[in-house]
Amino acid sequence: MARKNTKSKQQESLNELLFPQPGSEEEKQLFKKIQYSFAEQFDKAYADKLAEKTIVIVPSLTMDQEILSKIKGFTHYEERLLCLLLLLRMPRTHVVYITSMPIDPVIIDYYLHLLPGITGHHANSRLHIFNCYDSSLKSLTEKILERPRLIERIKKVIPDKSLAHIACFNVTEKERTLAVKLDLPIFGCDPDLLVYGNKSNSRKIFRACGLNVPAGFEDLHSENEIAEALVKLKEQKPLLKKAVVKLNDGFSGDGNAVFDYQITKVNDQLKENIFNQIKTNLKPVATDLDLENFFLKFRSMGGIVEEFVEGEEKRSPSVQCRINPDGYCEINSTHEQELGGESDQVFLGAHFPASYEYAVELGNMGRKIGALLREKGVLGKFAVDFISVKEKDGWIHFPLEINLRKGGTTHPYLMLQFLTDGKYDEEKGLYFTANGQTRYYFSSDNLRSEQFHGLTPHDLVDIAMLHELHYDGTMQEGVMFHLIGALSQYGKIGIVCIGSTPERAMAFYDKVVDVLKLETALHFH
């Protein structure tokens, strides 16, 4: 037995030696070679519903772990991409799904039940679920890389490697290493190009596209540079009341801090006053991130200072796009975002599509940005967030950031698309199902209440069945839940409510809130 163990350890060490060092030039070149093969695969099988293919889903949030840890139940965000299980509606498609911790089978069953035209048995035979049994704060991708035997088991369930690719939440150096070890391409951005999606470079790209960039300064790296930028901004705009300081790679608004200009006059004491007030007037958005740690992250990550855009009527729309291997940039969707937290900096939910007043305009701006990103070699999904202010003669749109990853609006749109087999019409700014009907939705990752603590996935499914809180395939309307695993511990759940009108979508949402409060009222103390 000891001899066998020694032999297996030697084999593992040998396997590690066969791969280039993570982050090395050799690894980067090998990754580019693997990525190059995806174009042929994309042309051959991606759009063909009957073609054989395998999607390996790695829903890792490979981001700053301290910032992520401030988001309640963030490990359950790995469940957001369970919407991709609906790919199993294609009868020759295999799905491999990997998570940090086991997912309750009742949650998997919940998604498979949504599949139109496919039996549970048929779908299950093509679904392969793996987990790391690791609930630590490390990213899922790091956990997978620490488990070479898990990587080998994943390889074994892929029927044809030439017709398989990886789908990630975001792509970093870690995902690149995993792609090389699995010998599979990623439908996503090369990590070397991620810099184009940080806050500083987003501003530069917006300017190159001729868009209305908010006043501000980028490529800052210290407290002193933040203070200098705040002074210059106030000098440029004497009536400015607030400014936003953003980490280059913040997430969901939790990398932002808001500075309140309590000084109204621009005079000789302006610089001294702002330098004195920066530690009292700058407030991080993340409730558990103090200013000292914010500055620490700013020094290592860099960031920007930007005007806080004011307006009597303002909104926060976004556009979601995808650059395909053939170079074509698709406008996937537009959304009207709901924001909360300190000065409305945190993403809470979204209405789809964005307002008819400017949805088409958002798509046009997304295409401009996509063309520039494509020239730089970017592949896969990206989104652009805006602040829009209503003026007498229309809306002015201020682009704020580019996200070179899937985001909070990716999974609800994919659910709608998989369930209705429809498409967003960028020329009309509307979504049409396969039979030509319009559909709308409201989605949120933050339906939360102290009352909901203790509800298990089984409880939620039972409540949903009892009160008909489900998606009706015949009417193509209704409710889908996600982040189900976070409900019991955090009293938090995600939801997508689809309706034939925006009002019907919100009515479904209101019904869910009422039902959950009713069902938990007796047990809440």
Side-chain angles (χ1 to χ4, degrees):
M1 180 64 76
R3 190 176 297 169
K4 278 187 180 178
N5 286 341
T6 303
K7 191 173 181 181
S8 64
K9 284 180 181 177
Q10 287 174 342
Q11 184 61 46
E12 283 178 30
S13 300
L14 183 62
N15 288 341
E16 286 298 307
L17 290 173
L18 294 175
F19 293 106
Q21 279 294 312
S24 66
E25 195 56 39
E26 186 185 355
E27 183 189 68
K28 290 180 182 181
Q29 291 306 315
L30 188 51
F31 177 72
K32 288 184 194 302
K33 184 179 176 183
I34 294 168
Q35 288 295 91
Y36 186 75
S37 69
F38 184 52
E40 183 182 348
Q41 182 189 142
F42 184 85
D43 292 339
K44 185 176 178 182
Y46 193 86
D48 185 350
K49 293 177 183 178
L50 297 179
E52 289 209 20
K53 50 185 165 296
T54 302
I55 298 93
V56 178
I57 301 163
V58 183
S60 177
L61 276 69
T62 313
M63 308 178 93
D64 185 284
Q65 295 302 300
E66 189 172 347
I67 289 177
L68 282 180
S69 68
K70 310 303 179 191
I71 300 171
K72 298 291 185 187
F74 87 90
T75 52
H76 292 285
Y77 277 58
E78 292 174 10
E79 295 176 28
R80 290 200 300 184
L81 291 188
L82 282 171
C83 61
L84 291 176
L85 297 192
L86 298 180
L87 287 166
L88 293 166
R89 67 180 294 176
M90 297 184 283
R92 292 291 176 265
T93 294
H94 287 251
V95 170
V96 179
Y97 204 97
I98 312 158
T99 56
S100 294
M101 291 293 290
I103 297 175
D104 193 311
V106 76
I107 298 175
I108 302 298
D109 178 72
Y110 176 80
Y111 281 90
L112 296 186
H113 180 73
L114 293 169
L115 285 168
I118 295 289
T119 68
H121 173 78
H122 198 279
N124 262 310
S125 68
R126 295 176 285 112
L127 174 60
H128 314 278
I129 296 176
F130 297 92
N131 67 81
C132 301
Y133 294 96
D134 185 342
S135 63
S136 69
L137 287 177
K138 289 178 185 174
S139 70
L140 169 61
T141 305
E142 289 176 273
K143 295 169 188 175
I144 298 169
L145 289 171
E146 289 173 352
R147 293 162 171 79
R149 292 187 177 191
L150 174 59
I151 291 173
E152 291 305 311
R153 289 203 301 277
I154 292 166
K155 286 180 177 179
K156 285 177 183 174
V157 300
I158 299 171
D160 185 347
K161 189 169 64 66
S162 69
L163 294 172
H165 72 273
I166 301 170
C168 301
F169 176 76
N170 64 321
V171 187
T172 71
E173 293 85 351
K174 302 292 184 187
E175 282 71 30
R176 176 170 60 203
T177 298
L178 181 61
V180 168
K181 292 198 172 186
L182 286 172
D183 194 19
L184 295 177
I186 298 175
F187 196 172
C189 183
D190 187 319
D192 286 349
L193 304 178
L194 285 179
V195 290
Y196 295 119
N198 72 29
K199 303 295 188 298
S200 291
N201 285 318
S202 291
R203 288 175 56 83
K204 296 171 189 175
I205 287 170
F206 298 148
R207 277 200 293 266
C209 292
L211 304 181
N212 294 313
V213 186
F217 303 90
E218 55 269 0
D219 295 324
L220 310 176
H221 286 90
S222 69
E223 269 176 76
N224 198 53
E225 288 181 343
I226 291 172
E228 291 276 6
L230 289 169
V231 173
K232 290 177 185 174
L233 200 53
K234 185 68 172 175
E235 287 172 342
Q236 281 180 17
K237 298 204 159 196
L239 298 179
L240 195 63
K241 296 175 183 175
K242 291 180 183 178
V244 188
V245 183
K246 300 179 181 179
L247 298 174
N248 264 335
D249 296 307
F251 174 71
S252 189
D254 278 334
N256 297 357
V258 178
F259 182 80
D260 187 359
Y261 286 107
Q262 290 180 349
I263 317 138
T264 54
K265 292 182 180 179
V266 175
N267 54 31
D268 293 341
Q269 282 78 47
L270 177 65
K271 184 173 181 178
E272 184 183 344
N273 288 337
I274 287 179
F275 271 71
N276 289 338
Q277 290 179 3
I278 193 165
K279 290 192 176 174
T280 55
N281 292 15
L282 185 64
K283 295 192 171 16
V285 168
T287 51
D288 299 328
L289 184 65
D290 61 39
L291 195 57
E292 188 178 337
N293 278 317
F294 180 84
F295 283 140
L296 192 66
K297 293 199 172 300
F298 200 95
R299 286 193 287 273
S300 65
M301 195 182 288
I304 67 171
V305 168
E306 194 169 74
E307 69 171 308
F308 184 89
V309 178
E310 302 278 6
E312 281 187 31
E313 186 177 351
K314 65 177 185 176
R315 297 176 185 170
S316 301
S318 63
V319 60
Q320 291 71 42
C321 315
R322 188 181 74 189
I323 300 172
N324 293 332
D326 59 8
Y328 180 69
C329 178
E330 290 183 20
I331 307 303
N332 288 151
S333 59
T334 59
H335 287 82
E336 214 64 67
Q337 300 182 93
E338 282 206 1
L339 304 176
E342 176 70 34
S343 298
D344 291 336
Q345 295 289 301
V346 180
F347 175 76
L348 298 178
H351 300 268
F352 169 83
S355 170
Y356 71 91
E357 296 175 81
Y358 48 69
V360 174
E361 196 177 344
L362 293 178
N364 291 337
M365 288 188 284
R367 191 171 291 287
K368 273 187 186 179
I369 295 163
L372 203 152
L373 290 173
R374 183 186 63 223
E375 286 176 16
K376 296 181 181 298
V378 171
L379 174 71
K381 290 205 178 269
F382 73 91
V384 184
D385 294 338
F386 298 84
I387 285 288
S388 300
V389 178
K390 191 168 188 180
E391 302 286 351
K392 288 180 182 178
D393 53 351
W395 290 84
I396 298 178
H397 305 288
F398 297 92
L400 299 181
E401 63 183 19
I402 299 170
N403 293 309
L404 293 177
R405 53 174 167 77
K406 293 177 175 64
T409 52
T410 300
H411 51 286
Y413 178 74
L414 289 175
M415 279 189 181
L416 174 69
Q417 193 176 32
F418 291 147
L419 290 169
T420 64
D421 204 19
K423 192 175 181 185
Y424 178 71
D425 186 334
E426 64 177 282
E427 293 180 4
K428 294 181 179 176
L430 292 169
Y431 180 89
F432 295 96
T433 64
N435 61 6
Q437 295 184 329
T438 53
R439 284 294 179 271
Y440 304 81
Y441 64 68
F442 174 71
S443 68
S444 175
D445 291 337
N446 284 281
L447 174 51
R448 187 181 346 186
S449 171
E450 288 295 319
Q451 281 188 217
F452 304 162
H453 276 272
L455 282 179
T456 68
H458 295 257
D459 296 329
L460 179 69
V461 170
D462 186 51
I463 290 168
M465 297 303 104
L466 184 65
H467 294 275
E468 298 185 341
L469 300 178
H470 54 74
Y471 177 77
D472 185 338
T474 56
M475 299 297 292
Q476 294 193 317
E477 288 187 312
V479 175
M480 285 89 62
F481 294 103
H482 57 275
L483 290 179
I484 297 172
L487 186 58
S488 183
Q489 184 176 351
Y490 299 99
K492 171 179 174 177
I493 194 166
I495 188 170
V496 182
C497 300
I498 298 173
S500 56
T501 65
E503 293 75 21
R504 279 186 64 77
M506 285 310 298
F508 284 124
Y509 179 78
D510 292 339
K511 181 182 177 183
V512 171
V513 173
D514 289 344
V515 164
L516 289 179
K517 285 184 174 177
L518 176 70
E519 286 284 345
T520 54
L522 292 175
H523 307 287
F524 182 63
H525 301 291

